[in-house]
Amino acid sequence: MAWYFIVPIAAAALFALLFIVYMFNLDMKLVAFLYVALNKYHDKKQHERDIQF
Protein backbone atom coordinates (compact mmCIF):
# COMPACT_ATOMS: atom_id res chain seq x y z
CA MET A 1 0.00 0.00 0.00
CA ALA A 2 1.38 3.39 -0.95
CA TRP A 3 1.96 6.18 1.54
CA TYR A 4 -0.67 8.39 -0.11
CA PHE A 5 -3.34 5.88 0.95
CA ILE A 6 -2.02 5.50 4.47
CA VAL A 7 -1.77 9.21 5.31
CA PRO A 8 -5.47 10.08 4.70
CA ILE A 9 -6.59 6.91 6.49
CA ALA A 10 -4.43 7.81 9.51
CA ALA A 11 -5.70 11.40 9.44
CA ALA A 12 -9.32 10.21 9.28
CA ALA A 13 -8.74 7.80 12.17
CA LEU A 14 -7.17 10.57 14.26
CA PHE A 15 -10.06 12.90 13.43
CA ALA A 16 -12.59 10.22 14.39
CA LEU A 17 -10.82 9.54 17.68
CA LEU A 18 -10.65 13.23 18.58
CA PHE A 19 -14.29 13.71 17.58
CA ILE A 20 -15.37 10.88 19.91
CA VAL A 21 -13.34 12.42 22.75
CA TYR A 22 -14.99 15.79 22.08
CA MET A 23 -18.55 14.48 21.79
CA PHE A 24 -18.45 12.43 24.99
CA ASN A 25 -16.39 15.00 26.94
CA LEU A 26 -13.85 12.30 27.76
CA ASP A 27 -11.01 14.73 28.39
CA MET A 28 -12.81 16.36 31.32
CA LYS A 29 -13.92 12.97 32.64
CA LEU A 30 -10.28 11.86 32.64
CA VAL A 31 -9.24 15.07 34.42
CA ALA A 32 -11.97 14.56 37.04
CA PHE A 33 -10.82 10.98 37.62
CA LEU A 34 -7.19 12.08 37.99
CA TYR A 35 -8.24 14.91 40.32
CA VAL A 36 -10.01 12.48 42.65
CA ALA A 37 -7.15 9.98 42.51
CA LEU A 38 -4.50 12.63 43.23
CA ASN A 39 -6.57 14.07 46.09
CA LYS A 40 -6.79 10.63 47.69
CA TYR A 41 -3.04 10.17 47.27
CA HIS A 42 -2.14 13.54 48.76
CA ASP A 43 -4.65 13.23 51.59
CA LYS A 44 -2.87 10.05 52.73
CA LYS A 45 0.51 11.77 52.88
CA GLN A 46 1.78 13.12 56.16
CA HIS A 47 1.28 16.86 56.10
CA GLU A 48 2.51 18.02 59.51
CA ARG A 49 5.91 19.13 58.31
CA ASP A 50 7.79 22.33 58.99
CA ILE A 51 8.46 24.59 56.05
CA GLN A 52 12.13 25.40 55.87
CA PHE A 53 13.40 28.54 54.19
Side-chain angles (χ1 to χ4, degrees):
M1 202 175 225
W3 66 271
Y4 46 84
F5 287 122
I6 295 173
V7 171
I9 291 171
L14 179 64
F15 177 78
L17 177 67
L18 291 175
F19 185 74
I20 290 169
V21 167
Y22 171 73
M23 288 305 293
F24 291 106
N25 201 22
L26 297 177
D27 54 342
M28 287 294 108
K29 289 179 182 179
L30 176 64
V31 169
F33 173 77
L34 290 175
Y35 183 79
V36 170
L38 288 174
N39 271 339
K40 286 181 184 176
Y41 170 73
H42 286 287
D43 285 345
K44 289 180 184 177
K45 290 178 72 173
Q46 184 182 20
H47 59 332
E48 296 295 329
R49 289 184 260 164
D50 293 333
I51 299 175
Q52 297 178 3
F53 294 100

